[in-house]
Amino acid sequence: MTTDQPVTQDRPVTRDHSLTVENLALGYKDRNVIESLDLIVPPGKITAIVGANACGKSTLLRSMTRLLAPRTGHVLLDGKEVHRIPPKELARTLGLLPQSPIAPEGITVADLVSRGRHPHQRVLARWSREDDRAVAAALDATSTADLADRSVDELSGGQRQRVWIAMALAQQTDLLLLDEPTTFLDVSHQVEVLDLLTDLNRSRGTTIVMVLHDLNMAARYADHLIALAAGRLHAAGEPADVLTEECVRAVFGLESRVIVDPTSNKPLMLPLGRHHVTTTAQP
């Protein structure tokens, strides 16, 4: 990853922004998806939101970036309601990679990633060397520089996902929200993307919030877990406190065993299917 400072920094400089949710209710038409939700996103940390399908993870993320207005309650960035902050001002602090974004037809990779610089453009201002550096660093960090001149339409799903992540990185926000950033990626590229986000957090102090389906990846890479169940907060805290057998049962309706991952020292969930049989060793 190309940055102005090395990524080996032990104590990153935290970008001191607060992102909080107070008594939040969200929904579509006559259906509520989120009910009476309160939570705090720890600044300068990596937070992963987990939960079963349709529990409100993506809906919550959309509300945090003013794409969905609350029915009741508030989403506050530095004490201000995000829905009252002008879009371009908000985009200089908070970036979003939505689920399944759509690129304009025929756009090249370089042009798409360059659009991440839009919030930093002033009226009548020219494209700057800083913009060039930000785009080049984002392409390099996501291993997409060799795709720069290709049309996004021609890329595989995994390549497209890395290009969208590059656009989000080029935006250079202090808070970055990602909805399923590992979608369409094979295991090696999933690890590569999550390592990249960890580097970004450690080198710049970027606060990262991401929705992940893979509980074990979430526990391994996140400092803070938020577990949602049926639109309500079930648990929040460090992975070792949240990813428990009781939590997996309550949130996913799944029996499991949770052990300590010997490589990361984080909790590791082992699902137990209906056909799991415990055998006893014969003498």
Side-chain angles (χ1 to χ4, degrees):
M1 178 178 178
T2 303
T3 60
D4 292 333
Q5 298 294 329
V7 297
T8 55
Q9 202 171 326
D10 291 331
R11 292 180 177 271
V13 177
T14 299
R15 302 307 197 261
D16 195 17
H17 296 284
S18 64
L19 183 61
T20 59
V21 169
E22 297 178 353
N23 194 32
L24 188 67
L26 301 167
Y28 304 96
K29 294 184 179 179
D30 59 349
R31 183 173 67 93
N32 271 6
V33 178
I34 296 287
E35 299 273 5
S36 304
L37 187 65
D38 293 282
L39 60 85
I40 298 173
V41 174
K45 303 289 187 181
I46 297 177
T47 294
I49 303 174
V50 299
N53 288 343
C55 73
K57 302 185 297 296
S58 296
T59 299
L60 173 61
L61 217 63
R62 294 185 70 219
S63 178
M64 286 180 169
T65 54
R66 68 169 285 156
L67 293 179
L68 181 64
R71 289 185 168 176
T72 61
H74 311 278
V75 177
L76 303 174
L77 175 63
D78 298 333
K80 301 177 183 177
E81 292 196 47
V82 295
H83 294 85
R84 298 183 182 275
I85 301 174
K88 197 167 183 177
E89 178 184 336
L90 180 66
R92 287 194 288 269
T93 301
L94 191 153
L96 170 69
L97 176 62
Q99 197 175 65
S100 303
I102 300 174
E105 186 176 354
I107 193 170
T108 66
V109 167
D111 286 343
L112 182 63
V113 175
S114 296
R115 293 193 175 197
R117 301 301 299 163
H118 174 71
H120 303 279
Q121 303 300 308
R122 306 290 183 179
V123 177
L124 302 180
R126 295 182 178 181
W127 186 265
S128 68
R129 290 183 179 179
E130 182 181 352
D131 295 322
D132 280 332
R133 285 194 294 267
V135 170
L139 289 168
D140 181 59
T142 53
S143 301
T144 54
D146 59 333
L147 304 175
D149 296 327
R150 292 181 59 183
S151 169
V152 175
D153 299 333
E154 302 172 3
L155 305 181
S156 69
Q159 288 172 325
R160 270 197 298 272
Q161 188 70 357
R162 284 188 286 140
V163 168
W164 281 109
I165 291 171
M167 190 188 78
L169 295 184
Q171 195 172 332
Q172 291 187 326
T173 55
D174 292 336
L175 294 94
L176 182 58
L177 279 58
L178 306 102
D179 194 355
E180 290 292 342
T182 56
T183 298
F184 304 120
L185 301 180
D186 58 33
V187 173
S188 65
H189 281 120
Q190 288 180 38
V191 171
E192 182 180 313
V193 164
L194 294 172
D195 281 345
L196 167 64
L197 294 175
T198 300
D199 287 344
L200 184 67
N201 169 258
R202 290 178 179 174
S203 64
R204 295 193 68 245
T206 304
T207 299
I208 292 173
V209 182
M210 54 185 176
V211 170
L212 288 179
H213 272 300
D214 190 317
L215 280 177
N216 290 327
M217 287 291 197
R220 172 173 286 200
Y221 282 93
D223 305 299
H224 187 78
L225 285 185
I226 293 172
L228 299 183
R232 294 183 181 274
L233 179 66
H234 178 78
E238 294 183 2
D241 297 326
V242 174
L243 185 51
T244 64
E245 293 171 10
E246 180 280 328
C247 181
V248 174
R249 184 182 305 114
V251 172
F252 295 93
L254 178 68
E255 294 299 324
S256 66
R257 295 291 178 266
V258 176
I259 63 174
V260 176
D261 185 334
T263 61
S264 67
N265 208 33
K266 295 287 191 76
L268 179 68
M269 189 275 293
L270 306 175
L272 302 180
R274 289 187 299 107
H275 300 292
H276 175 80
V277 177
T278 301
T279 58
T280 301
Q282 297 297 318

